[in-house]
Structures are given as C-alpha cells and as structure tokens.
Amino acid sequence: MTKYIVVFITCPSREEADKIANAVIAKNFAACVNIIDNVRSIFHWQEKVEDADEVLLIAKTKAKLLDEIIPLVKQLHSYDLPEIIAVPILGGSEDYLNWIDAETTL
C-alpha cells in the first residue's frame, strides 16, 4: 500500500481555499498545502456543462490521513459535492517524505 498521497481539492474562492488549507495544516493532517489560483474547470453538473473559475489545493500527506481530511473538507466546503481526490506518491526525496512523516499526525 502507498504510504504517501497527494490530495486535490478545488474551491470556488481563494478565501475558502485559505480556510480549508489552514484547517488541514492546523490539525496536522498534511505537511504542506499548495494553493493555485486561476484554475478553470469545465464539468457536468445537474445535467448542464459548467465553466467555473476555481482555486486548487494540493495537499501532501499520509494515505492513512485521507479519512480524516475528507470530513473536515466537507464540513468547511461550500459545494454540495466538493472534489476531494487522492493519488499515490510512488517515490520522491527521502528527506521530503521523512518531513511529511514528522509534520503529520498518526
């Protein structure tokens, strides 16, 4: 099983992205969250094609913390169905991965 993951979360505004990123970091659920402004998302929603400007969060964390991150994001997020997806980190700098271990709970 993969020990480390990257979690992608899109938000409708920078304010909401900041709130979610700070909450995830404050609870030590991720070692780092990048915030990327000006992401354009095109998607199906309620039988229509939507085109939205969003903010993307990229959180680096341990796989076993995903079950902690999901309810926290859902609690703070304004969307009915927020994007919260995780992809495995297959490798990387050992020093960086050790830092993720040191900065996260569990």
Side-chain angles (χ1 to χ4, degrees), residues 18-80:
D18 288 345
K19 178 175 66 173
I20 292 170
N22 280 296
V24 168
I25 292 296
K27 292 191 173 285
N28 296 102
F29 290 165
C32 175
V33 179
N34 302 114
I35 300 174
I36 302 173
D37 291 311
N38 303 318
V39 173
R40 182 176 172 205
S41 298
I42 300 172
F43 54 95
H44 284 276
W45 183 247
Q46 298 179 344
E47 300 182 21
K48 295 189 314 189
V49 174
E50 299 287 339
D51 190 331
D53 292 325
E54 295 185 301
V55 178
L56 176 63
L57 301 178
I58 304 173
K60 278 75 71 173
T61 188
K62 296 176 195 164
K64 61 186 171 182
L65 286 169
L66 184 59
D67 289 339
E68 305 294 330
I69 292 170
I70 291 171
L72 177 62
V73 171
K74 285 182 172 183
Q75 174 189 358
L76 298 173
H77 210 291
S78 62
Y79 288 169
D80 293 335

